[in-house]
Amino acid sequence: MTRTPLAIVITASLAGLLFGFDTAVIAGVTHALRVEYLLSPAGLGATVSAALWGTLVGALASGVPGDRFGSRNTLRFIGGLYTIAALGCALAWNLPSFIVFRFLVGLAIGGSSVLAPVYISEIAATERRGVLVGLFQFNVVFGILLAYCSNFVVASLVADPYAWRIKLAVAAIPATVFFALLFTIPDSPRWLALKGRMEALSWSQHRRPIVLAVTLAMFNQLSGINAILYYLGDIFTAAGFNSMSADLQSVAIGATNLVATIVGMSFIDRIGRKALLLIGAVGTAIALAGVAVIMGTGTHRELLLPLLIGFIASFALSQGAVIWVYLSEVFPTAVRARGQSLGSATHWIMNAVVSAVFPAVAAYSTSAPFAFFALMMALQFVVVLIAFPETKGVALERMAERMGQQ
């Protein structure tokens, strides 16, 4: 069956929907996991971060098969893994089994975060590459919103103690659809043209793109985005909201994330990647500083939701819209999957560390994490302003020149 280029891109970008859904669905079951497995704050952090260590392994391991066998073919394996892992989490019989299946979820997320953007960037026209690769991030945030909505609906319809298992099982539905659709799309023409050629991803040869990829990925997580998304319900509870209102607040956050991502996608090929990163750094720093004040003083909690919405909006239209596009652009075609793997692995290392530490630090001081995140966003503004080149409108084959490589 022949499919249009847009349909092919949409199919590949559905990996982002699974990424987002499986990342955010855990926010609706953290309380149930505490009760089910008698977890301390540190134990909860370790359990939640199990998937994130899986993403690290998946990101690191997917680059070589992606370059050797093609992104499309490797994504098929990942699609099947998403389905198996989702069902395993829902049917977990004890804490170790739950952690194992969440680790497998992480493997799938990490692999798809590398290979789907690479695949899309290689089939997209230069002038539309930003928005088309941005469809992956659109689906990430759409998946996050779907997870929040799904959690709310399941919590309303299913009584405890089974609700948390149903919430996790829902992820198997889009995973199965994604797996089936992958058999309707072709290999990347750029990968086919380079099939059999494997270049070394050396530090000396690719120094600048490596530094840019690692730096961008680190700042992405030092914003606190995933720690906030994973523990959103706990943040609202700590501020005095009940569990049902927290679920509704989460839906508002997810909807903002989606709308702001669309805004970022609409500008990424117009004003460029660097400008969006700078704008977002200012917005996130201001919003996070405000959240730190509220959590530290315990006053003006009515401003918590608007400030978190402001943070999400600033992040989504900048870091969220840019990261997977930028990582998929800065490396040469022959090593693109491995370069994306390096950036994605850095992203997931920082994600795992921040998310594992967040509950313990927040238990000691509810404001300290947000003050730290605000400081990191101020630092990001300076680094991006000084060191990051613009990649808008640059053909992939000419990107090495923009990076200052031979």
Side-chain angles (χ1 to χ4, degrees), residues 237-259:
T237 300
F241 295 92
N242 61 43
S243 60
M244 186 56 73
S245 65
D247 280 338
L248 287 173
Q249 310 279 38
S250 297
V251 171
I253 294 292
T256 300
N257 202 359
L258 181 66
V259 172

Side-chain angles (χ1 to χ4, degrees), residues 32 86 127 160 174 187 203 270 324 337 368:
E127 65 275 9
D160 288 332
D187 280 311
W203 166 259
R270 299 181 188 178
W324 304 115

